[in-house]
Amino acid sequence: MAFGHSLKNACDFALLALCILAGNDLAFAEDAPAVGARDRVSLNAGWRFQRWTDKPDSVSYSTMKPWIMPSANDFIKNTAKRARRPSSEPANVTFAQPDFDDKAWELVDVPHDWAVKRPFYAGANAVIGGDMGRLPIHGVGWYRRAIQLDATDSGKSLLLDIDGAMSYAMVWLNGRFVGGWPYGYASFRLDLTPYARSGNNQLAIRVDNAMESSRFYPGAGIYRNVWLTKVSQQHVAYDGTWITSGQVSDQSATLDLVTIIENLSTASSATEIEVSTDIHVWDAASGKAAAKVGQFPSVKIAVDGGAKHTVNASTTLQNPRLWGPRPLQEPNLYIAMTRLQSGGRTLDEYHTRFGIRAVQYTGDGIKINGQRVYIQGVNQHHDLGSLGAAFNVRAAERQLEMLQDMGCNAVRTSHNPPSRELLDLADELGILIMDEIFDTWNSQKRRNDFHLIFSDWHEPDLRAFIRRDRNHPSVVIWSFGNEVAEQRARNGAATAQSLKDIVREEDPTRYTTVGSNNAGPNDAFTGVADIIGLNYQGEGRGTGAATFPDFRAKFPSKMILSTESSSGISTRGTYIFPVTTSNSITVSDSQGGDPRNRYVSAYELYAVSWGASPEKVFAAQDRYPYVAGEFVWTGWDYLGEPTPYDLSRSSYFGIIDLAGFPKDRFYLYQSRWNPTVKMAHILPHWNWPNRTGQVTPVHVFSSGDQAELFLNGVSQGVQKKAISSGSYRFRWDRVVYQPGELQVVTYKDGNLWANATMRTTGEPSGLHGSTYRDRKTIKADGADLLFISIAVVDQKGDVVRQSNNAITFSVQGPGEIVTTDNGDPTDMVAFPSPERKAFGGLALAIVRAKAGSSGKITVTASAKGLVSAEVVLEALS
Ligand SMILES: *[C@@H]1O[C@H](CO)[C@@H](O)[C@H](O)[C@H]1NC(C)=O
Ligand SMILES: *[C@@H]1O[C@H](CO)[C@@H](O)[C@H](O)[C@H]1NC(C)=O
Ligand SMILES: *[C@@H]1O[C@H](CO)[C@@H](O)[C@H](O)[C@H]1NC(C)=O
Ligand SMILES: *[C@@H]1O[C@H](CO)[C@@H](O)[C@H](O)[C@H]1NC(C)=O
Ligand SMILES: *[C@@H]1O[C@H](CO)[C@@H](O)[C@H](O)[C@H]1NC(C)=O
């Protein structure tokens, strides 16, 4: 069948009602071509985009709400509360019309963040201030793109899958309103079929970001992937499978599979569907399904048009290879391949990757496959530094890899659902996830945050979130809130209970928590979630504050977890004197802070007023080993929330800076969390021409238990690690500065362990380039990224750590600089700039190969008076 007759063809995709309007018969489905299996087409490329800071159209959420709410219906349990689409249509919108001329609009690909490449707003009273990252996230954005449909799409369901659009997304096809989803972190599906026609279709998406909508950088625009799923009208529903394991041991595992099948057909078609699911090993090396190892019993069903049918099946797998977090265990994965067949035709093929593991939540921590896993976690916001919120798999993978090198085994997705791909990566790398959905409930933190729509949307958002993420073995804890204002309010416990009830309905296999920073042991709120999640409470933040034993006494068998710990702050490579003799102190203008330059000392002893140094947290965790572990605030620096200096653009909390350079703290965590790595790390740098003769403390982070420091060959004394007195570092606080060489020799159990040296350098003489993990090839798929670090070095090749030379990047060959950065939270040069000052002797360039091209890419970094660096890469198409 060809698309020869336009009216009839329009019907091929149309709702019954539309076809009646068009005066057509409905017999076409009879001669529709055989429908193949599912086709998931990326819609990432080739959008036209425009943004306005004033009001460009007459559209608003409140007027469109009656047509938006039906998008949530699959996720609202009480059928009486589901919205019906009004019988009238909303007013036409110019920018959604097929004939609107968008040629003058910017051509962009998604994932796209319209704010991150623009200039920063500097100064006090900026339009967007420090908290939201000083970037222009606000305004209304329109995205338009054509979709071509041909004969093979006839008779199929055409489903638009948007993984994340910030925020208040609304979608039109061919000028007609389809639906929307306001929460910017949600993934959602809309059915385009009733509005589609043969040939050219015009998709239009509107997003709207208010000012004061977040406490941190939210990003702006369609910042995650967009897909068009083309599949038979009888198919596995959106996120419509769920695999759980009941009895799990090394010998066998019982598996339960729930498959939701929907029938979007309005015409007669196949009456019986056979549903069968095979289980295959997932081969991590090839990224593909390998040997078949089992299957679920197949069943035959019929599904009424417009209805859903749930199929349950169980099986037992012998000798399962279990999923567990690295480094203690291995992240083995399986893939379930579900097939829907009817009359010899395959209607749908749907794949669900999963892992088999047993999780026990106890008063003495979490056990995975019977083994206690101490949570060595970090909080991570969703932005990817200079790339902003625009999701990129390679950038996220690098973040996780560096955290794993440090010994981190868990991530809390503070405070919003992550991308789907982040969870895929966590599954593959073996990282535990505390998956979090909300930063606010009914009560606001910012004027325009989620509290505005909480009452309408908390249920659909929560159900959709859990159905999306519950097959990921990495996800072990659901969090349905963070530091909500309701903690001590009268209705707080009731709201918490209703949210927890929803979570447990959607997934009774995992425990829930909420990050609580001020609900105490006696507040009703604290007893609601399964796990007591404490932000800063318990780690000893001061007199009068509740302690871990206070919570333990009240809830002796509940798991207690530091969902947010430390909030240590520092600026990489910046050392401020004098250095506190304490092991943890609140930063101030006279203690660790430099308000003029807006830097915080990297001696890593300084924290915000509600926090504590890493070591003070370690001490509290060691004193109370029943605490399940900690999620440090934060793993990486992030855009926005630049406490304590609001004039800056990005945070000081990260263990790793915004560009991806580890701060000194990285090695402190590594010494505790990854103790088999033989390492020693000296701070500060040793270029202090003005400090000759002055006391300049030298501290060392090492996994050894004893250390001796030498300055120009003269011993400064032997130290033993004083963990029992709360010191997890070696510190020589009375070293008198003279230029030359520091060397530390460390020991463990009496044997030599690791050494490190730090030399006074000469003047900068050149630049040295290297690539992350030494990778020199890059896929020319338009998505892969390569991370190039440039160091300012002296004649001997030592990094000159206080240098800030202006570096210019250039590229020859089929590649481009995407962004540059240096990790300096005060640097207000826009991210795409090829000119970037070194900070602490280092700068970063992120490079992409031009899609479809191959060959040599040469990246050159040059700086006045210095020998240039050249990094040669190969693009593979
Ligand atoms: C909207 O536009 C369509 C054609 O694109 C037209 O048929 C319809 O009448 C318009 N609706 C309103 C309310 O103007
Ligand atoms: C899907 O719904 C249509 C319309 O009600 C019906 O004719 C058809 O048999 C259903 N398909 C299945 C597999 O049940
Ligand atoms: C199928 O499994 C789900 C989830 O465990 C359960 O809620 C439902 O009752 C089961 N349905 C049947 C028919 O057993
Ligand atoms: C050392 O002192 C001189 C003179 O006060 C000053 O110009 C210079 O910036 C200082 N150097 C450093 C590295 O602090
Ligand atoms: C570390 O230093 C000690 C003492 O100088 C020396 O004996 C040892 O060989 C060094 N180890 C390494 C790995 O350099």
Side-chain angles (χ1 to χ4, degrees):
M1 189 190 103
F3 282 108
H5 319 283
S6 59
L7 277 176
K8 181 167 185 280
N9 294 335
C11 263
D12 286 347
F13 299 97
L15 266 182
L16 182 60
L18 270 183
C19 287
I20 289 166
L21 284 176
N24 269 269
D25 69 86
L26 291 165
F28 62 88
E30 305 276 276
D31 56 17
V35 222
R38 171 177 297 247
D39 199 3
R40 191 161 173 257
V41 184
S42 170
L43 294 187
N44 284 354
W47 293 81
R48 290 284 175 182
F49 164 74
Q50 182 76 276
R51 168 204 176 228
W52 294 260
T53 51
D54 52 354
K55 204 168 160 41
D57 52 40
S58 57
V59 179
S60 73
Y61 173 69
S62 56
T63 58
M64 297 301 281
K65 190 176 150 187
W67 291 272
I68 292 173
M69 286 313 300
S71 308
N73 280 349
D74 278 351
F75 308 95
I76 293 173
K77 188 181 175 197
N78 180 350
T79 49
K81 281 178 146 184
R82 293 180 186 167
R84 269 219 209 144
R85 189 176 171 110
S87 53
S88 64
E89 287 297 285
N92 284 340
V93 184
T94 309
F95 300 135
Q97 296 309 311
D99 57 2
F100 174 77
D101 183 359
D102 59 18
K103 277 200 287 296
W105 290 12
E106 189 185 350
L107 196 56
V108 301
D109 291 344
V110 306
H112 176 241
D113 179 343
W114 80 56
V116 75
K117 293 195 168 179
R118 298 190 182 219
F120 290 97
Y121 293 114
N125 307 317
V127 180
I128 301 286
D131 58 345
M132 288 176 81
R134 299 187 166 275
L135 287 166
I137 56 89
H138 57 297
V140 169
W142 275 90
Y143 292 80
R144 288 170 52 92
R145 185 194 195 280
I147 305 176
Q148 294 294 328
L149 297 171
D150 62 29
T152 62
D153 304 318
S154 162
K156 288 187 188 174
S157 288
L158 303 164
L159 307 164
L160 179 69
D161 296 333
I162 297 181
D163 285 347
M166 189 65 66
S167 56
Y168 288 90
M170 300 180 196
V171 175
W172 289 257
L173 189 71
N174 299 326
R176 303 207 45 220
F177 189 69
V178 178
W181 202 288
Y183 191 35
Y185 294 98
S187 301
F188 60 98
R189 163 173 287 181
L190 298 173
D191 185 2
L192 299 182
T193 323
Y195 314 98
R197 59 190 178 211
S198 65
N200 206 20
N201 288 259
Q202 183 63 52
L203 186 62
I205 301 176
R206 180 192 193 269
V207 291
D208 188 354
N209 279 351
M211 295 189 194
E212 296 182 54
S213 58
S214 173
R215 298 184 300 123
F216 41 86
Y217 183 74
I222 305 177
Y223 70 102
R224 287 180 185 158
N225 293 316
V226 179
W227 306 94
L228 178 64
T229 297
K230 303 176 184 178
V231 66
S232 152
Q233 290 172 334
Q234 294 81 37
H235 54 250
V236 175
Y238 187 52
D239 293 324
T241 57
W242 184 26
I243 300 178
T244 50
S245 24
Q247 300 298 319
V248 174
S249 73
D250 289 338
Q251 285 75 48
S252 75
T254 58
L255 300 178
D256 299 303
L257 167 67
V258 178
T259 309
I260 301 167
I261 291 145
E262 71 181 344
N263 181 357
L264 293 180
S265 173
T266 52
S268 66
S269 57
T271 51
E272 199 175 53
I273 304 176
E274 182 171 10
V275 184
S276 57
T277 299
D278 291 341
I279 303 166
H280 291 252
V281 166
W282 174 261
D283 178 48
S286 66
K288 290 196 178 110
K292 177 179 164 183
V293 291
Q295 65 193 50
F296 290 94
S298 64
V299 289
K300 288 187 174 155
I301 56 159
V303 191
D304 290 340
K308 291 189 175 61
H309 189 103
T310 300
V311 174
N312 289 9
S314 299
T315 190
T316 300
L317 209 60
Q318 302 304 324
N319 305 313
R321 299 197 304 180
L322 305 184
W323 186 95
R326 286 194 173 123
L328 291 178
Q329 301 179 24
E330 272 301 304
N332 296 303
L333 294 167
Y334 290 91
I335 186 162
M337 303 171 94
T338 300
R339 179 168 299 168
L340 269 49
Q341 283 175 300
S342 182
R345 290 193 312 163
T346 299
L347 297 176
D348 192 8
E349 276 180 298
Y350 186 88
H351 298 171
T352 311
R353 207 172 61 170
F354 68 102
I356 301 170
R357 82 278 185 283
V359 183
Q360 287 163 277
Y361 306 84
T362 81
D364 295 298
I366 195 164
K367 284 184 176 172
I368 314 280
N369 302 321
Q371 181 180 33
R372 164 94 193 249
V373 176
Y374 189 83
I375 293 180
Q376 302 172 165
V378 298
N379 283 270
Q380 287 282 92
H381 270 319
H382 77 304
D383 74 69
L384 297 168
S386 62
L387 302 169
F391 186 77
N392 178 280
V393 173
R394 182 62 198 138
E397 185 177 42
R398 170 172 171 257
Q399 287 199 336
L400 295 178
E401 285 173 350
M402 286 182 65
L403 292 170
Q404 210 166 32
D405 286 346
M406 183 171 78
C408 168
N409 64 10
V411 166
R412 173 189 183 204
T413 67
S414 49
H415 303 293
N416 314 98
S419 66
R420 292 174 183 272
E421 293 81 6
L422 185 108
L423 298 180
D424 289 339
L425 288 168
D427 289 347
E428 289 162 17
L429 293 169
I431 292 175
L432 302 174
I433 296 286
M434 170 173 158
D435 205 359
E436 183 159 273
I437 180 164
F438 296 132
D439 191 47
T440 48
W441 297 349
N442 275 305
S443 300
Q444 72 173 63
K445 289 180 179 168
R446 291 290 182 271
R447 195 159 51 90
N448 293 313
D449 65 24
F450 188 74
H451 83 281
L452 294 175
I453 53 170
F454 180 82
S455 65
D456 284 331
W457 284 92
H458 69 271
E459 184 191 352
D461 270 314
L462 197 45
R463 291 192 194 277
F465 161 68
I466 292 181
R467 289 180 208 172
R468 190 194 74 160
D469 292 352
R470 63 191 175 181
N471 286 316
H472 290 279
S474 56
V475 175
V476 288
I477 299 171
W478 300 116
S479 169
F480 53 84
N482 170 62
E483 297 186 0
V484 292
E486 285 90 339
Q487 284 170 86
R488 308 193 84 165
R490 207 175 327 130
N491 60 355
T495 307
Q497 186 65 50
S498 69
L499 293 168
K500 179 189 166 184
D501 290 346
I502 294 172
V503 177
R504 298 300 300 241
E505 274 173 28
E506 295 295 333
D507 178 12
T509 73
R510 293 173 174 92
Y511 274 27
T512 61
T513 196
V514 182
S516 296
N517 63 333
N518 64 34
N522 298 317
D523 289 305
F525 185 94
T526 303
V528 176
D530 306 297
I531 297 168
I532 298 176
L534 300 178
N535 289 10
Y536 311 104
Q537 300 193 81
E539 66 192 37
R541 69 173 165 190
T543 43
T547 63
F548 290 128
D550 295 336
F551 289 95
R552 178 79 164 178
K554 184 78 194 247
F555 301 100
S557 58
K558 272 201 173 188
M559 184 169 140
I560 298 175
L561 172 63
S562 290
T563 39
E564 233 170 85
S565 64
S566 186
S567 272
I569 46 178
S570 54
T571 311
R572 177 180 53 79
T574 302
Y575 306 95
I576 295 169
F577 303 95
V579 177
T580 180
T581 55
S582 166
N583 75 348
S584 179
I585 195 164
T586 297
V587 72
S588 68
D589 288 355
S590 54
Q591 288 270 23
D594 169 357
R596 197 168 57 88
N597 292 307
R598 306 200 304 274
Y599 294 145
V600 177
S601 177
Y603 270 92
E604 313 293 16
L605 296 163
Y606 304 93
V608 294
S609 60
W610 58 89
S613 70
E615 286 154 288
K616 195 166 179 189
V617 179
F618 293 164
Q621 299 261 331
D622 283 348
R623 200 171 316 130
Y624 307 111
Y626 53 79
V627 177
E630 62 169 320
F631 287 97
V632 178
W633 191 264
T634 53
W636 281 58
D637 270 328
Y638 52 95
L639 292 167
E641 217 173 45
T643 314
Y645 300 119
D646 186 63
L647 290 176
S648 301
R649 64 170 200 197
S650 51
S651 76
Y652 295 73
F653 293 111
I655 299 170
I656 299 168
D657 77 18
L658 199 75
F661 300 120
K663 299 181 188 173
D664 291 296
R665 246 185 294 161
F666 180 95
Y667 302 96
L668 176 56
Y669 285 102
Q670 189 179 50
S671 70
R672 175 177 168 90
W673 285 355
N674 208 353
T676 57
V677 175
K678 287 192 173 189
M679 66 87 185
H681 175 86
I682 298 178
L683 68 141
H685 66 68
W686 212 238
N687 292 351
W688 302 103
N690 294 0
R691 296 192 63 79
T692 301
Q694 292 185 53
V695 169
T696 305
V698 176
H699 293 188
V700 168
F701 300 139
S702 170
S703 39
D705 55 19
Q706 187 179 317
E708 184 169 18
L709 180 74
F710 301 88
L711 173 54
N712 295 329
V714 179
S715 175
Q716 307 294 303
V718 176
Q719 297 224 356
K720 286 201 154 69
K721 209 181 258 179
I723 284 178
S724 57
S725 59
S727 186
Y728 293 76
R729 69 176 72 193
F730 301 103
R731 55 192 292 177
W732 290 266
D733 279 335
R734 312 203 55 78
V735 176
V736 174
Y737 181 79
Q738 49 178 275
E741 180 173 289
L742 290 168
Q743 190 198 20
V744 70
V745 181
T746 67
Y747 301 84
K748 191 164 182 175
D749 302 325
N751 300 314
L752 277 172
W753 181 249
N755 300 349
T757 57
M758 179 67 81
R759 279 192 290 264
T760 304
T761 69
E763 291 299 308
S765 75
L767 300 176
H768 177 261
S770 59
T771 58
Y772 177 64
R773 292 205 165 174
D774 243 354
R775 201 175 136 204
K776 292 284 158 55
T777 59
I778 179 166
K779 278 181 265 163
D781 58 3
D784 194 12
L785 299 175
L786 214 127
F787 299 84
I788 297 180
S789 298
I790 298 296
V792 179
V793 295
D794 70 1
Q795 214 94 48
K796 286 190 198 148
D798 285 343
V799 180
V800 186
R801 289 176 196 277
Q802 80 285 23
S803 60
N804 59 358
N805 306 60
I807 297 171
T808 302
F809 290 93
S810 60
V811 181
Q812 279 182 307
E816 59 181 338
I817 305 276
V818 183
T819 57
T820 62
D821 192 12
N822 55 20
D824 179 355
T826 71
D827 188 332
M828 295 292 168
V829 175
F831 285 129
S833 171
E835 272 146 44
R836 180 70 53 190
K837 277 186 162 183
F839 181 67
L842 303 175
L844 173 85
I846 303 180
V847 175
R848 178 167 53 205
K850 296 222 164 94
S853 54
S854 59
K856 211 167 85 168
I857 301 173
T858 305
V859 180
T860 306
S862 52
K864 201 170 157 222
L866 305 186
V867 177
S868 301
E870 233 181 53
V871 177
V872 181
L873 316 170
E874 200 191 343
L876 307 172
S877 65

